[in-house]
Amino acid sequence: MEELSSQKTILSGIKPTGQLTIGNYIGAMKNFVKLQNDYETLYMVVDLHALTVPQEPKELRHKTLSIIAQYIAVGLDPEKNNLFIQSHVTGHTELAWILGCMTGLGDLSRMTQFKDKSAKPGANVNAGLYTYPILMASDILLYNADFVPVGEDQKQHVELTRDIAMRFNYRYSDTFTIPEPIIPKSGARIMDLQNPMSKMGKSDSGESGRIALIDEPSLVAKRIKSAVTDSGSEIKFSETDEKAGIRNLLTIYANLTEISIAEIELMYEGKGYGDFKKDLADIVVERLSPIKNRHDDLMKNKDYLEAVLKSGAESAQKKAWKMLSKVYRKVGLVQAVR
Ligand code: ATP
Ligand code: LTN
């Protein structure tokens, strides 16, 4: 990441589909925090994306605000970052329409996230789930983002965004910046604690397979201690499927402490999974407790959160209008007289 120059724009978003997990934190939010000092940063809660799966309206409102509070609680300073809610800015869905008219059905059908989500038993396979990557491309291109910090599962969507942007630029002349994903080398895919062959997801994982940033400390410890491992006993990183559980726990340990995996292996030579899990439970609790406390305080201060959102949306809206009118002009729409 060292080679990134300043003045560039960083943008990312998280869906309010459930409680944020340590997967969201390690794969994406840790990078949001790291990048906040040197770049222009826009971090959204992408509530329109959440509607691709059925949501209870009251809960959706609560989860959306709770994620804004968690953005601040993990260390994003609202003075330095543009924190806002996607639906507060007009332009995301409008640009998505234009981009949708330039995106092939074949491209959308290739998307792994669509294939996975629509193959789930009882899945509600609606048009929004299918066109979701176009809205994501619009989120990114609307602000000319240079870099997009995300976990591994979003790489394909950022690649599609790049293709759409290049297609538009080729057809209508240079308009969009071609964005690049920023994906952490380690921790880009934290796995479900009960099923370490699948990704920990805030809405896809069962309760015992995930840890939320705002879970009670006793629950956090319990989840780590009951994480699935294997019949072995050595604390060693291995790429084999059998070792997926311990590999995932080692990755979580390394990412929350910044101690390298090799060093952790040395620290636990001659010790068993029980000792390792006990220490990891303490580490996760120690790391998450201040986040939970700060979140809980912020949720009692709705006026403050609303002020943050107002200023975030105002400044994002200015940028969005500018880009949208440029795009409308380039594709040949007659300018409205206002
Ligand atoms: P859902 O289960 O509802 O699909 P999710 O937990 O996958 O949600 P998103 O809102 O889709 O979360 O993702 C927010 C960010 O967190 C994205 O950048 C995504 O790549 C990253 N992310 C999500 N899950 C993980 C994970 N298990 N490990 C690392 N990064 C993750
Ligand atoms: N598709 C992403 C969420 C998302 C996003 C974005 C991420 C929507 N818009 C723009 C980065 C940039 C997901 O499912 N995690």
Side-chain angles (χ1 to χ4, degrees), residues 11-15 44 46 49 86 113 132 135-136 139-140 148-150 153-154 157:
L11 174 142
S12 198
I14 297 188
K15 290 174 293 187
M44 293 175 278
V46 287
H49 277 91
Q86 182 188 31
Q113 181 168 306
Y132 176 115
L135 183 57
M136 174 163 166
D139 297 338
I140 297 171
V148 184
V150 281
D153 63 316
Q154 295 304 311
H157 288 161

PDB file of all heavy atoms in Angstrom, residues 11-15 44 46 49 86 113 132 135-136 139-140 148-150 153-154 157, ligand 2:
ATOM      1  N   LEU A  11     -12.926   4.511  -1.444  1.00  0.00           N
ATOM      2  CA  LEU A  11     -14.356   4.357  -1.171  1.00  0.00           C
ATOM      3  C   LEU A  11     -14.681   2.900  -0.873  1.00  0.00           C
ATOM      4  O   LEU A  11     -14.125   1.990  -1.484  1.00  0.00           O
ATOM      5  CB  LEU A  11     -15.150   4.810  -2.401  1.00  0.00           C
ATOM      6  CG  LEU A  11     -16.671   4.577  -2.339  1.00  0.00           C
ATOM      7  CD1 LEU A  11     -17.408   5.743  -2.974  1.00  0.00           C
ATOM      8  CD2 LEU A  11     -17.083   3.271  -3.006  1.00  0.00           C
ATOM      9  N   SER A  12     -15.564   2.695   0.110  1.00  0.00           N
ATOM     10  CA  SER A  12     -16.057   1.334   0.327  1.00  0.00           C
ATOM     11  C   SER A  12     -17.425   1.387   0.998  1.00  0.00           C
ATOM     12  O   SER A  12     -17.881   2.456   1.423  1.00  0.00           O
ATOM     13  CB  SER A  12     -15.075   0.513   1.173  1.00  0.00           C
ATOM     14  OG  SER A  12     -15.369  -0.864   1.018  1.00  0.00           O
ATOM     15  N   GLY A  13     -18.064   0.221   1.057  1.00  0.00           N
ATOM     16  CA  GLY A  13     -19.392   0.171   1.654  1.00  0.00           C
ATOM     17  C   GLY A  13     -19.658  -1.163   2.317  1.00  0.00           C
ATOM     18  O   GLY A  13     -19.041  -2.172   1.964  1.00  0.00           O
ATOM     19  N   ILE A  14     -20.551  -1.146   3.291  1.00  0.00           N
ATOM     20  CA  ILE A  14     -20.950  -2.371   3.985  1.00  0.00           C
ATOM     21  C   ILE A  14     -22.474  -2.413   4.043  1.00  0.00           C
ATOM     22  O   ILE A  14     -23.128  -1.389   4.292  1.00  0.00           O
ATOM     23  CB  ILE A  14     -20.337  -2.417   5.407  1.00  0.00           C
ATOM     24  CG1 ILE A  14     -18.803  -2.451   5.298  1.00  0.00           C
ATOM     25  CG2 ILE A  14     -20.855  -3.609   6.193  1.00  0.00           C
ATOM     26  CD1 ILE A  14     -18.078  -2.695   6.606  1.00  0.00           C
ATOM     27  N   LYS A  15     -23.027  -3.616   3.812  1.00  0.00           N
ATOM     28  CA  LYS A  15     -24.488  -3.761   3.798  1.00  0.00           C
ATOM     29  C   LYS A  15     -25.038  -3.915   5.219  1.00  0.00           C
ATOM     30  O   LYS A  15     -24.483  -4.692   5.992  1.00  0.00           O
ATOM     31  CB  LYS A  15     -24.871  -5.064   3.077  1.00  0.00           C
ATOM     32  CG  LYS A  15     -24.644  -5.079   1.616  1.00  0.00           C
ATOM     33  CD  LYS A  15     -24.928  -6.479   1.068  1.00  0.00           C
ATOM     34  CE  LYS A  15     -23.928  -7.492   1.566  1.00  0.00           C
ATOM     35  NZ  LYS A  15     -23.986  -8.818   0.994  1.00  0.00           N
ATOM     36  N   MET A  44     -19.541   4.170   3.132  1.00  0.00           N
ATOM     37  CA  MET A  44     -21.018   4.190   3.136  1.00  0.00           C
ATOM     38  C   MET A  44     -21.585   2.997   3.865  1.00  0.00           C
ATOM     39  O   MET A  44     -20.952   1.946   3.940  1.00  0.00           O
ATOM     40  CB  MET A  44     -21.544   4.001   1.710  1.00  0.00           C
ATOM     41  CG  MET A  44     -21.285   5.047   0.749  1.00  0.00           C
ATOM     42  SD  MET A  44     -21.901   4.444  -0.850  1.00  0.00           S
ATOM     43  CE  MET A  44     -20.576   3.448  -1.384  1.00  0.00           C
ATOM     44  N   VAL A  46     -24.417   0.674   2.747  1.00  0.00           N
ATOM     45  CA  VAL A  46     -25.149   0.522   1.477  1.00  0.00           C
ATOM     46  C   VAL A  46     -26.505  -0.139   1.735  1.00  0.00           C
ATOM     47  O   VAL A  46     -26.716  -1.315   1.504  1.00  0.00           O
ATOM     48  CB  VAL A  46     -24.291  -0.229   0.422  1.00  0.00           C
ATOM     49  CG1 VAL A  46     -23.184   0.687  -0.094  1.00  0.00           C
ATOM     50  CG2 VAL A  46     -23.666  -1.501   0.962  1.00  0.00           C
ATOM     51  N   HIS A  49     -28.414  -1.826  -1.174  1.00  0.00           N
ATOM     52  CA  HIS A  49     -27.936  -3.188  -1.454  1.00  0.00           C
ATOM     53  C   HIS A  49     -28.566  -4.207  -0.506  1.00  0.00           C
ATOM     54  O   HIS A  49     -28.783  -5.359  -0.880  1.00  0.00           O
ATOM     55  CB  HIS A  49     -26.411  -3.264  -1.312  1.00  0.00           C
ATOM     56  CG  HIS A  49     -25.666  -2.808  -2.524  1.00  0.00           C
ATOM     57  ND1 HIS A  49     -25.258  -1.508  -2.708  1.00  0.00           N
ATOM     58  CD2 HIS A  49     -25.256  -3.478  -3.619  1.00  0.00           C
ATOM     59  CE1 HIS A  49     -24.626  -1.407  -3.861  1.00  0.00           C
ATOM     60  NE2 HIS A  49     -24.612  -2.583  -4.430  1.00  0.00           N
ATOM     61  N   GLN A  86     -26.014   5.291   1.805  1.00  0.00           N
ATOM     62  CA  GLN A  86     -26.165   5.279   0.343  1.00  0.00           C
ATOM     63  C   GLN A  86     -27.468   5.940  -0.119  1.00  0.00           C
ATOM     64  O   GLN A  86     -27.475   6.771  -1.029  1.00  0.00           O
ATOM     65  CB  GLN A  86     -26.114   3.816  -0.125  1.00  0.00           C
ATOM     66  CG  GLN A  86     -26.214   3.577  -1.607  1.00  0.00           C
ATOM     67  CD  GLN A  86     -26.343   2.080  -1.894  1.00  0.00           C
ATOM     68  OE1 GLN A  86     -26.901   1.327  -1.086  1.00  0.00           O
ATOM     69  NE2 GLN A  86     -25.810   1.648  -3.015  1.00  0.00           N
ATOM     70  N   GLN A 113     -20.942 -14.241  -6.174  1.00  0.00           N
ATOM     71  CA  GLN A 113     -21.834 -13.915  -5.054  1.00  0.00           C
ATOM     72  C   GLN A 113     -23.295 -14.185  -5.454  1.00  0.00           C
ATOM     73  O   GLN A 113     -24.067 -14.726  -4.666  1.00  0.00           O
ATOM     74  CB  GLN A 113     -21.666 -12.448  -4.631  1.00  0.00           C
ATOM     75  CG  GLN A 113     -22.551 -12.077  -3.457  1.00  0.00           C
ATOM     76  CD  GLN A 113     -22.185 -10.728  -2.839  1.00  0.00           C
ATOM     77  OE1 GLN A 113     -21.056 -10.470  -2.470  1.00  0.00           O
ATOM     78  NE2 GLN A 113     -23.167  -9.861  -2.724  1.00  0.00           N
ATOM     79  N   TYR A 132     -27.292  -6.321  -8.652  1.00  0.00           N
ATOM     80  CA  TYR A 132     -26.516  -5.784  -7.531  1.00  0.00           C
ATOM     81  C   TYR A 132     -25.131  -5.251  -7.930  1.00  0.00           C
ATOM     82  O   TYR A 132     -24.746  -4.145  -7.538  1.00  0.00           O
ATOM     83  CB  TYR A 132     -26.435  -6.929  -6.520  1.00  0.00           C
ATOM     84  CG  TYR A 132     -25.648  -6.767  -5.284  1.00  0.00           C
ATOM     85  CD1 TYR A 132     -26.280  -6.768  -4.041  1.00  0.00           C
ATOM     86  CD2 TYR A 132     -24.256  -6.682  -5.298  1.00  0.00           C
ATOM     87  CE1 TYR A 132     -25.550  -6.676  -2.873  1.00  0.00           C
ATOM     88  CE2 TYR A 132     -23.534  -6.583  -4.134  1.00  0.00           C
ATOM     89  CZ  TYR A 132     -24.182  -6.584  -2.927  1.00  0.00           C
ATOM     90  OH  TYR A 132     -23.457  -6.487  -1.772  1.00  0.00           O
ATOM     91  N   LEU A 135     -25.146  -1.717  -9.301  1.00  0.00           N
ATOM     92  CA  LEU A 135     -25.308  -0.657  -8.283  1.00  0.00           C
ATOM     93  C   LEU A 135     -23.979  -0.427  -7.556  1.00  0.00           C
ATOM     94  O   LEU A 135     -23.601   0.701  -7.263  1.00  0.00           O
ATOM     95  CB  LEU A 135     -26.427  -1.047  -7.299  1.00  0.00           C
ATOM     96  CG  LEU A 135     -26.776  -0.030  -6.220  1.00  0.00           C
ATOM     97  CD1 LEU A 135     -27.170   1.328  -6.805  1.00  0.00           C
ATOM     98  CD2 LEU A 135     -27.909  -0.543  -5.316  1.00  0.00           C
ATOM     99  N   MET A 136     -23.255  -1.504  -7.318  1.00  0.00           N
ATOM    100  CA  MET A 136     -21.946  -1.361  -6.660  1.00  0.00           C
ATOM    101  C   MET A 136     -20.975  -0.600  -7.574  1.00  0.00           C
ATOM    102  O   MET A 136     -20.228   0.269  -7.113  1.00  0.00           O
ATOM    103  CB  MET A 136     -21.393  -2.736  -6.302  1.00  0.00           C
ATOM    104  CG  MET A 136     -19.982  -2.696  -5.753  1.00  0.00           C
ATOM    105  SD  MET A 136     -19.576  -4.216  -4.898  1.00  0.00           S
ATOM    106  CE  MET A 136     -17.798  -4.039  -4.751  1.00  0.00           C
ATOM    107  N   ASP A 139     -21.822   2.975  -7.239  1.00  0.00           N
ATOM    108  CA  ASP A 139     -21.317   3.545  -5.971  1.00  0.00           C
ATOM    109  C   ASP A 139     -19.870   4.012  -6.131  1.00  0.00           C
ATOM    110  O   ASP A 139     -19.475   5.062  -5.622  1.00  0.00           O
ATOM    111  CB  ASP A 139     -21.295   2.481  -4.857  1.00  0.00           C
ATOM    112  CG  ASP A 139     -22.658   1.951  -4.489  1.00  0.00           C
ATOM    113  OD1 ASP A 139     -23.660   2.628  -4.756  1.00  0.00           O
ATOM    114  OD2 ASP A 139     -22.713   0.825  -3.927  1.00  0.00           O
ATOM    115  N   ILE A 140     -19.105   3.183  -6.808  1.00  0.00           N
ATOM    116  CA  ILE A 140     -17.653   3.430  -6.902  1.00  0.00           C
ATOM    117  C   ILE A 140     -17.349   4.514  -7.947  1.00  0.00           C
ATOM    118  O   ILE A 140     -16.590   5.447  -7.697  1.00  0.00           O
ATOM    119  CB  ILE A 140     -16.926   2.113  -7.271  1.00  0.00           C
ATOM    120  CG1 ILE A 140     -17.130   1.064  -6.164  1.00  0.00           C
ATOM    121  CG2 ILE A 140     -15.437   2.358  -7.525  1.00  0.00           C
ATOM    122  CD1 ILE A 140     -16.653  -0.340  -6.517  1.00  0.00           C
ATOM    123  N   VAL A 148     -10.466   0.720  -3.659  1.00  0.00           N
ATOM    124  CA  VAL A 148     -11.643   0.200  -2.970  1.00  0.00           C
ATOM    125  C   VAL A 148     -11.207  -0.903  -1.993  1.00  0.00           C
ATOM    126  O   VAL A 148     -10.922  -2.023  -2.414  1.00  0.00           O
ATOM    127  CB  VAL A 148     -12.651  -0.366  -4.004  1.00  0.00           C
ATOM    128  CG1 VAL A 148     -13.928  -0.833  -3.316  1.00  0.00           C
ATOM    129  CG2 VAL A 148     -12.990   0.675  -5.062  1.00  0.00           C
ATOM    130  N   PRO A 149     -11.094  -0.583  -0.696  1.00  0.00           N
ATOM    131  CA  PRO A 149     -10.692  -1.620   0.265  1.00  0.00           C
ATOM    132  C   PRO A 149     -11.846  -2.587   0.556  1.00  0.00           C
ATOM    133  O   PRO A 149     -12.903  -2.174   1.027  1.00  0.00           O
ATOM    134  CB  PRO A 149     -10.316  -0.813   1.530  1.00  0.00           C
ATOM    135  CG  PRO A 149     -10.973   0.513   1.385  1.00  0.00           C
ATOM    136  CD  PRO A 149     -11.240   0.743  -0.075  1.00  0.00           C
ATOM    137  N   VAL A 150     -11.633  -3.844   0.234  1.00  0.00           N
ATOM    138  CA  VAL A 150     -12.680  -4.872   0.410  1.00  0.00           C
ATOM    139  C   VAL A 150     -12.032  -6.209   0.762  1.00  0.00           C
ATOM    140  O   VAL A 150     -10.829  -6.388   0.598  1.00  0.00           O
ATOM    141  CB  VAL A 150     -13.503  -5.093  -0.890  1.00  0.00           C
ATOM    142  CG1 VAL A 150     -14.544  -4.022  -1.102  1.00  0.00           C
ATOM    143  CG2 VAL A 150     -12.602  -5.215  -2.114  1.00  0.00           C
ATOM    144  N   ASP A 153     -13.992 -11.650  -1.242  1.00  0.00           N
ATOM    145  CA  ASP A 153     -15.225 -11.989  -1.963  1.00  0.00           C
ATOM    146  C   ASP A 153     -15.707 -10.870  -2.895  1.00  0.00           C
ATOM    147  O   ASP A 153     -16.534 -11.119  -3.767  1.00  0.00           O
ATOM    148  CB  ASP A 153     -16.336 -12.355  -0.963  1.00  0.00           C
ATOM    149  CG  ASP A 153     -16.692 -11.195  -0.056  1.00  0.00           C
ATOM    150  OD1 ASP A 153     -15.780 -10.520   0.449  1.00  0.00           O
ATOM    151  OD2 ASP A 153     -17.884 -10.940   0.146  1.00  0.00           O
ATOM    152  N   GLN A 154     -15.201  -9.651  -2.698  1.00  0.00           N
ATOM    153  CA  GLN A 154     -15.667  -8.529  -3.526  1.00  0.00           C
ATOM    154  C   GLN A 154     -14.762  -8.210  -4.706  1.00  0.00           C
ATOM    155  O   GLN A 154     -15.034  -7.294  -5.495  1.00  0.00           O
ATOM    156  CB  GLN A 154     -15.855  -7.271  -2.665  1.00  0.00           C
ATOM    157  CG  GLN A 154     -16.962  -7.419  -1.642  1.00  0.00           C
ATOM    158  CD  GLN A 154     -18.277  -7.805  -2.298  1.00  0.00           C
ATOM    159  OE1 GLN A 154     -18.707  -7.195  -3.278  1.00  0.00           O
ATOM    160  NE2 GLN A 154     -18.920  -8.848  -1.792  1.00  0.00           N
ATOM    161  N   HIS A 157     -16.432  -8.257  -8.093  1.00  0.00           N
ATOM    162  CA  HIS A 157     -17.305  -7.104  -8.349  1.00  0.00           C
ATOM    163  C   HIS A 157     -16.493  -5.860  -8.723  1.00  0.00           C
ATOM    164  O   HIS A 157     -16.928  -5.057  -9.553  1.00  0.00           O
ATOM    165  CB  HIS A 157     -18.170  -6.801  -7.115  1.00  0.00           C
ATOM    166  CG  HIS A 157     -19.252  -7.815  -6.882  1.00  0.00           C
ATOM    167  ND1 HIS A 157     -19.881  -7.970  -5.670  1.00  0.00           N
ATOM    168  CD2 HIS A 157     -19.812  -8.725  -7.706  1.00  0.00           C
ATOM    169  CE1 HIS A 157     -20.785  -8.927  -5.771  1.00  0.00           C
ATOM    170  NE2 HIS A 157     -20.757  -9.403  -6.987  1.00  0.00           N
TER     171      HIS A 157
HETATM  172  N1  LTN B   2     -21.037  -5.445  -2.607  1.00  0.00           N
HETATM  173  C1  LTN B   2     -20.381  -5.179  -1.377  1.00  0.00           C
HETATM  174  C2  LTN B   2     -20.895  -3.958  -0.675  1.00  0.00           C
HETATM  175  C3  LTN B   2     -20.722  -2.742  -1.505  1.00  0.00           C
HETATM  176  C4  LTN B   2     -19.501  -2.071  -1.788  1.00  0.00           C
HETATM  177  C5  LTN B   2     -19.847  -0.945  -2.591  1.00  0.00           C
HETATM  178  C6  LTN B   2     -18.171  -2.308  -1.431  1.00  0.00           C
HETATM  179  C7  LTN B   2     -21.715  -2.052  -2.138  1.00  0.00           C
HETATM  180  N2  LTN B   2     -21.180  -0.975  -2.763  1.00  0.00           N
HETATM  181  C8  LTN B   2     -18.868  -0.086  -3.069  1.00  0.00           C
HETATM  182  C9  LTN B   2     -17.210  -1.423  -1.930  1.00  0.00           C
HETATM  183  C10 LTN B   2     -17.561  -0.342  -2.725  1.00  0.00           C
HETATM  184  C11 LTN B   2     -20.551  -6.403  -0.483  1.00  0.00           C
HETATM  185  O1  LTN B   2     -21.401  -7.216  -0.703  1.00  0.00           O
HETATM  186  N3  LTN B   2     -19.752  -6.494   0.492  1.00  0.00           N
END
